[in-house]
């Protein structure tokens, strides 16, 4: 849209001499034409400035889209690595050690981390707000596996968020910390083997 406006403005400016020449061929007052030309020149400068701002805004938007695409690609790569280690237990030793008591706990911790990472990506890109994260985290930390993950990984998330030149990751981790502490204060979590209703 902005590029179209810029092209239209450039064409209008380029045709100004032709229009004045056509007007001058009749019996027109040259003094009046001069005033019109000056007024049009000032207006064309304003249009040009607006078109330039539009181009700048378009470039900024494109830059942000490229950044988002790069982050999405990096997140997809990280997700594939984690899922590969879930599918092949021998690969879990390639990651940092996590104090869990079984391969099942390790797989659950990895998967919960993927869930939280997905929330973080949406929050950082402003697809969701603080209230959305609060609601998600409140439900999330009612479960045993979710609490275990944050107990094990919360410090790592805090340290990692602090290294980024952005306040939003720090805010995200703070929201999860608040929800976790509230959940702990509210009572014990729901055991992971109690998530399913009995059909008997």
């Amino acid at each position: 849209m902005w590029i179209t406006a810029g092209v239209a403005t450039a064409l209008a400016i380029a045709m100004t001499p032709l229009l004045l020449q056509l007007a001058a061929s009749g019996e027109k007052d040259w003094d009046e034409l001069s005033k019109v030309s000056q007024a049009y020149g000032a207006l064309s400068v304003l249009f040009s400035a607006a078109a330039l701002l539009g181009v700048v805004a378009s470039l900024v938007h494109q830059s942000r889209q490229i950044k988002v695409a790069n982050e999405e690609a990096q997140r997809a790569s990280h997700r594939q690595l984690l899922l590969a280690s879930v599918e092949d237990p021998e690969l879990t030793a390639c990651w940092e050690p996590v104090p869990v008591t079984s391969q099942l706990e390790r797989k659950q911790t990895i998967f919960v981390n993927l869930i939280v990472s997905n929330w973080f990506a949406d929050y950082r890109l402003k697809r969701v707000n603080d209230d959305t994260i609060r609601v998600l985290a409140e439900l999330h930390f009612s479960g045993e596996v979710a609490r275990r993950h944050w107990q094990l990984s919360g410090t790592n998330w805090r340290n990692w968020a602090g290294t980024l030149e952005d306040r939003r990751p720090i805010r995200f981790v703070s929201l999860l910390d608040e929800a976790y502490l509230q959940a702990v204060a509210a009572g014990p979590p729901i055991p992971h083997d109690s998530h399913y209703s009995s059909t008997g």
Side-chain angles (χ1 to χ4, degrees), residues 138-145 147-148 180-192 194-195:
E138 180 181 355
L139 294 171
H140 182 67
F141 287 126
S142 65
E144 175 188 16
V145 177
R147 290 196 197 179
R148 184 175 65 233
Y180 172 78
L181 292 175
Q182 289 172 3
V184 171
I190 300 172
H192 75 273
S194 300
H195 281 218

Side-chain angles (χ1 to χ4, degrees), residues 125-178:
L125 296 174
K126 299 183 179 180
R127 293 172 180 164
V128 297
N129 57 22
D130 286 17
D131 291 335
T132 303
I133 296 300
R134 286 192 185 98
V135 170
L136 291 172
E138 180 181 355
L139 294 171
H140 182 67
F141 287 126
S142 65
E144 175 188 16
V145 177
R147 290 196 197 179
R148 184 175 65 233
H149 164 260
W150 200 247
Q151 183 179 8
L152 295 173
S153 305
T155 300
N156 293 337
W157 273 90
R158 284 181 221 104
N159 293 339
W160 178 70
T163 65
L164 302 176
E165 297 179 357
D166 189 351
R167 293 182 180 178
R168 207 157 175 83
I170 297 174
R171 177 61 180 162
F172 174 81
V173 173
S174 296
L175 290 170
L176 264 67
D177 275 337
E178 291 171 11

Side-chain angles (χ1 to χ4, degrees), residues 8 26 49 56 72 77 83 86 100 105 115 136 149 194 196:
V56 170
E72 292 285 358
S77 176
L83 289 176
V86 168
V100 292
E105 286 189 4
I115 294 171
L136 291 172
H149 164 260
S194 300
Y196 302 98

Side-chain angles (χ1 to χ4, degrees), residues 18-84:
L18 178 62
L19 294 174
L20 290 175
Q21 186 176 7
L22 290 173
S25 61
E27 295 180 357
K28 298 290 184 181
D29 185 350
W30 276 102
D31 185 47
E32 181 181 347
L33 286 176
S34 176
K35 292 178 181 178
V36 171
S37 176
Q38 290 175 3
Y40 186 83
L43 189 60
S44 68
V45 169
L46 291 176
F47 277 124
S48 297
L52 180 60
L53 287 176
V55 171
V56 170
S58 177
L59 292 174
V60 170
H61 178 71
Q62 289 179 10
S63 176
R64 183 175 184 276
Q65 291 300 105
I66 292 172
K67 181 180 178 181
V68 169
N70 288 339
E71 288 185 1
E72 292 285 358
Q74 182 179 13
R75 200 161 61 89
S77 176
H78 184 253
R79 182 171 58 247
Q80 288 177 350
L81 290 172
L82 285 173
L83 289 176

Side-chain angles (χ1 to χ4, degrees), residues 101-113:
T101 59
S102 68
Q103 181 61 28
L104 173 61
E105 286 189 4
R106 175 74 181 193
K107 289 173 67 175
Q108 291 172 336
T109 301
I110 291 173
F111 198 79
V112 172
N113 196 65

